[in-house]
PDB file of all heavy atoms in Angstrom:
ATOM      1  N   ALA A 917      28.084  23.250 -45.140  1.00  0.00           N
ATOM      2  CA  ALA A 917      27.367  24.129 -44.213  1.00  0.00           C
ATOM      3  C   ALA A 917      26.119  24.721 -44.865  1.00  0.00           C
ATOM      4  O   ALA A 917      25.058  24.833 -44.232  1.00  0.00           O
ATOM      5  CB  ALA A 917      28.288  25.239 -43.725  1.00  0.00           C
ATOM      6  N   MET A 921      22.443  24.100 -43.540  1.00  0.00           N
ATOM      7  CA  MET A 921      21.658  25.276 -43.167  1.00  0.00           C
ATOM      8  C   MET A 921      20.287  25.252 -43.843  1.00  0.00           C
ATOM      9  O   MET A 921      19.248  25.516 -43.201  1.00  0.00           O
ATOM     10  CB  MET A 921      22.427  26.536 -43.575  1.00  0.00           C
ATOM     11  CG  MET A 921      21.680  27.827 -43.340  1.00  0.00           C
ATOM     12  SD  MET A 921      21.497  28.219 -41.596  1.00  0.00           S
ATOM     13  CE  MET A 921      21.009  29.937 -41.695  1.00  0.00           C
ATOM     14  N   PHE A 963      25.395  30.630 -41.759  1.00  0.00           N
ATOM     15  CA  PHE A 963      26.095  29.483 -41.170  1.00  0.00           C
ATOM     16  C   PHE A 963      27.181  29.066 -42.154  1.00  0.00           C
ATOM     17  O   PHE A 963      26.900  28.491 -43.202  1.00  0.00           O
ATOM     18  CB  PHE A 963      25.120  28.332 -40.917  1.00  0.00           C
ATOM     19  CG  PHE A 963      25.753  27.141 -40.237  1.00  0.00           C
ATOM     20  CD1 PHE A 963      26.353  27.265 -38.993  1.00  0.00           C
ATOM     21  CD2 PHE A 963      25.743  25.895 -40.847  1.00  0.00           C
ATOM     22  CE1 PHE A 963      26.928  26.170 -38.365  1.00  0.00           C
ATOM     23  CE2 PHE A 963      26.307  24.794 -40.232  1.00  0.00           C
ATOM     24  CZ  PHE A 963      26.901  24.932 -38.988  1.00  0.00           C
ATOM     25  N   ALA A1021      43.907  16.003 -26.139  1.00  0.00           N
ATOM     26  CA  ALA A1021      42.486  15.667 -26.107  1.00  0.00           C
ATOM     27  C   ALA A1021      41.924  15.928 -24.720  1.00  0.00           C
ATOM     28  O   ALA A1021      42.497  15.507 -23.708  1.00  0.00           O
ATOM     29  CB  ALA A1021      42.282  14.206 -26.486  1.00  0.00           C
ATOM     30  N   VAL A1035      43.010   0.097 -34.761  1.00  0.00           N
ATOM     31  CA  VAL A1035      42.541  -1.282 -34.921  1.00  0.00           C
ATOM     32  C   VAL A1035      42.172  -1.554 -36.375  1.00  0.00           C
ATOM     33  O   VAL A1035      42.342  -2.686 -36.869  1.00  0.00           O
ATOM     34  CB  VAL A1035      41.359  -1.576 -33.969  1.00  0.00           C
ATOM     35  CG1 VAL A1035      40.038  -1.029 -34.498  1.00  0.00           C
ATOM     36  CG2 VAL A1035      41.244  -3.068 -33.701  1.00  0.00           C
ATOM     37  N   PHE A1064      16.896   2.232 -14.112  1.00  0.00           N
ATOM     38  CA  PHE A1064      15.752   2.173 -13.198  1.00  0.00           C
ATOM     39  C   PHE A1064      14.853   3.378 -13.447  1.00  0.00           C
ATOM     40  O   PHE A1064      15.312   4.448 -13.866  1.00  0.00           O
ATOM     41  CB  PHE A1064      16.209   2.199 -11.741  1.00  0.00           C
ATOM     42  CG  PHE A1064      16.726   0.894 -11.208  1.00  0.00           C
ATOM     43  CD1 PHE A1064      18.053   0.529 -11.398  1.00  0.00           C
ATOM     44  CD2 PHE A1064      15.899   0.036 -10.501  1.00  0.00           C
ATOM     45  CE1 PHE A1064      18.539  -0.670 -10.912  1.00  0.00           C
ATOM     46  CE2 PHE A1064      16.370  -1.167 -10.004  1.00  0.00           C
ATOM     47  CZ  PHE A1064      17.696  -1.528 -10.209  1.00  0.00           C
ATOM     48  N   LEU A1078      18.549  12.432  -5.192  1.00  0.00           N
ATOM     49  CA  LEU A1078      18.640  13.701  -5.903  1.00  0.00           C
ATOM     50  C   LEU A1078      20.082  14.152  -6.083  1.00  0.00           C
ATOM     51  O   LEU A1078      20.474  14.636  -7.151  1.00  0.00           O
ATOM     52  CB  LEU A1078      17.842  14.769  -5.140  1.00  0.00           C
ATOM     53  CG  LEU A1078      17.716  16.147  -5.781  1.00  0.00           C
ATOM     54  CD1 LEU A1078      16.861  16.084  -7.026  1.00  0.00           C
ATOM     55  CD2 LEU A1078      17.116  17.136  -4.782  1.00  0.00           C
ATOM     56  N   ALA A1090      10.422  -6.220   1.801  1.00  0.00           N
ATOM     57  CA  ALA A1090      10.107  -7.638   2.063  1.00  0.00           C
ATOM     58  C   ALA A1090      10.055  -8.417   0.758  1.00  0.00           C
ATOM     59  O   ALA A1090      10.498  -9.564   0.671  1.00  0.00           O
ATOM     60  CB  ALA A1090       8.776  -7.747   2.811  1.00  0.00           C
ATOM     61  N   PHE A1100      11.565  -9.932 -17.805  1.00  0.00           N
ATOM     62  CA  PHE A1100      10.815 -10.250 -19.025  1.00  0.00           C
ATOM     63  C   PHE A1100       9.300 -10.310 -18.779  1.00  0.00           C
ATOM     64  O   PHE A1100       8.565 -10.884 -19.569  1.00  0.00           O
ATOM     65  CB  PHE A1100      11.279 -11.576 -19.632  1.00  0.00           C
ATOM     66  CG  PHE A1100      12.569 -11.481 -20.413  1.00  0.00           C
ATOM     67  CD1 PHE A1100      13.411 -10.394 -20.265  1.00  0.00           C
ATOM     68  CD2 PHE A1100      12.941 -12.483 -21.287  1.00  0.00           C
ATOM     69  CE1 PHE A1100      14.604 -10.299 -20.969  1.00  0.00           C
ATOM     70  CE2 PHE A1100      14.133 -12.403 -22.007  1.00  0.00           C
ATOM     71  CZ  PHE A1100      14.969 -11.303 -21.846  1.00  0.00           C
ATOM     72  N   LEU A1155      23.622  10.352 -26.487  1.00  0.00           N
ATOM     73  CA  LEU A1155      22.412  11.090 -26.827  1.00  0.00           C
ATOM     74  C   LEU A1155      21.190  10.448 -26.187  1.00  0.00           C
ATOM     75  O   LEU A1155      20.310  11.135 -25.659  1.00  0.00           O
ATOM     76  CB  LEU A1155      22.261  11.141 -28.348  1.00  0.00           C
ATOM     77  CG  LEU A1155      21.013  11.822 -28.914  1.00  0.00           C
ATOM     78  CD1 LEU A1155      20.898  13.261 -28.409  1.00  0.00           C
ATOM     79  CD2 LEU A1155      21.047  11.796 -30.438  1.00  0.00           C
ATOM     80  N   GLY A1282      28.893 -24.559 -37.029  1.00  0.00           N
ATOM     81  CA  GLY A1282      28.070 -23.401 -36.717  1.00  0.00           C
ATOM     82  C   GLY A1282      26.989 -23.811 -35.751  1.00  0.00           C
ATOM     83  O   GLY A1282      27.165 -24.725 -34.942  1.00  0.00           O
ATOM     84  N   ALA A1310      32.886 -12.134 -22.353  1.00  0.00           N
ATOM     85  CA  ALA A1310      32.446 -13.457 -22.796  1.00  0.00           C
ATOM     86  C   ALA A1310      32.267 -13.503 -24.308  1.00  0.00           C
ATOM     87  O   ALA A1310      31.728 -12.568 -24.913  1.00  0.00           O
ATOM     88  CB  ALA A1310      31.133 -13.829 -22.112  1.00  0.00           C
ATOM     89  N   THR A1382      50.264 -18.425 -24.422  1.00  0.00           N
ATOM     90  CA  THR A1382      50.539 -17.221 -23.633  1.00  0.00           C
ATOM     91  C   THR A1382      49.286 -16.679 -22.956  1.00  0.00           C
ATOM     92  O   THR A1382      49.309 -16.302 -21.780  1.00  0.00           O
ATOM     93  CB  THR A1382      51.152 -16.129 -24.530  1.00  0.00           C
ATOM     94  OG1 THR A1382      52.377 -16.610 -25.092  1.00  0.00           O
ATOM     95  CG2 THR A1382      51.427 -14.855 -23.736  1.00  0.00           C
ATOM     96  N   LYS A1384      46.471 -18.185 -22.237  1.00  0.00           N
ATOM     97  CA  LYS A1384      45.605 -19.169 -21.584  1.00  0.00           C
ATOM     98  C   LYS A1384      45.130 -18.724 -20.196  1.00  0.00           C
ATOM     99  O   LYS A1384      43.999 -19.031 -19.797  1.00  0.00           O
ATOM    100  CB  LYS A1384      46.313 -20.521 -21.504  1.00  0.00           C
ATOM    101  CG  LYS A1384      45.391 -21.658 -21.077  1.00  0.00           C
ATOM    102  CD  LYS A1384      46.063 -23.023 -21.234  1.00  0.00           C
ATOM    103  CE  LYS A1384      46.163 -23.414 -22.689  1.00  0.00           C
ATOM    104  NZ  LYS A1384      46.658 -24.804 -22.863  1.00  0.00           N
ATOM    105  N   CYS A1412      39.290   1.135  -6.116  1.00  0.00           N
ATOM    106  CA  CYS A1412      39.062   1.912  -7.333  1.00  0.00           C
ATOM    107  C   CYS A1412      40.227   2.865  -7.652  1.00  0.00           C
ATOM    108  O   CYS A1412      40.734   2.859  -8.778  1.00  0.00           O
ATOM    109  CB  CYS A1412      37.745   2.681  -7.194  1.00  0.00           C
ATOM    110  SG  CYS A1412      37.230   3.557  -8.663  1.00  0.00           S
ATOM    111  N   LEU A1439      47.490  10.796 -20.651  1.00  0.00           N
ATOM    112  CA  LEU A1439      47.127   9.732 -19.718  1.00  0.00           C
ATOM    113  C   LEU A1439      47.260  10.209 -18.276  1.00  0.00           C
ATOM    114  O   LEU A1439      46.398   9.921 -17.433  1.00  0.00           O
ATOM    115  CB  LEU A1439      48.011   8.509 -19.953  1.00  0.00           C
ATOM    116  CG  LEU A1439      47.755   7.749 -21.260  1.00  0.00           C
ATOM    117  CD1 LEU A1439      48.881   6.754 -21.528  1.00  0.00           C
ATOM    118  CD2 LEU A1439      46.417   7.022 -21.205  1.00  0.00           C
ATOM    119  N   ASN A1503       8.069  -1.233  24.673  1.00  0.00           N
ATOM    120  CA  ASN A1503       8.405   0.157  24.370  1.00  0.00           C
ATOM    121  C   ASN A1503       9.733   0.566  24.987  1.00  0.00           C
ATOM    122  O   ASN A1503      10.507   1.320  24.382  1.00  0.00           O
ATOM    123  CB  ASN A1503       7.297   1.084  24.860  1.00  0.00           C
ATOM    124  CG  ASN A1503       6.078   1.035  23.950  1.00  0.00           C
ATOM    125  OD1 ASN A1503       6.115   0.404  22.905  1.00  0.00           O
ATOM    126  ND2 ASN A1503       4.999   1.694  24.360  1.00  0.00           N
ATOM    127  N   GLU A1508      15.370   2.067  24.310  1.00  0.00           N
ATOM    128  CA  GLU A1508      16.798   1.796  24.527  1.00  0.00           C
ATOM    129  C   GLU A1508      17.523   1.594  23.194  1.00  0.00           C
ATOM    130  O   GLU A1508      18.626   2.114  22.994  1.00  0.00           O
ATOM    131  CB  GLU A1508      16.950   0.560  25.413  1.00  0.00           C
ATOM    132  CG  GLU A1508      18.390   0.252  25.777  1.00  0.00           C
ATOM    133  CD  GLU A1508      18.504  -0.956  26.694  1.00  0.00           C
ATOM    134  OE1 GLU A1508      17.462  -1.477  27.134  1.00  0.00           O
ATOM    135  OE2 GLU A1508      19.651  -1.378  26.947  1.00  0.00           O
TER     136      GLU A1508
END
Side-chain angles (χ1 to χ4, degrees):
M921 176 70 165
F963 183 59
V1035 79
F1064 281 85
L1078 185 68
F1100 281 17
L1155 177 57
T1382 300
K1384 191 170 287 187
C1412 186
L1439 290 167
N1503 284 354
E1508 184 178 354

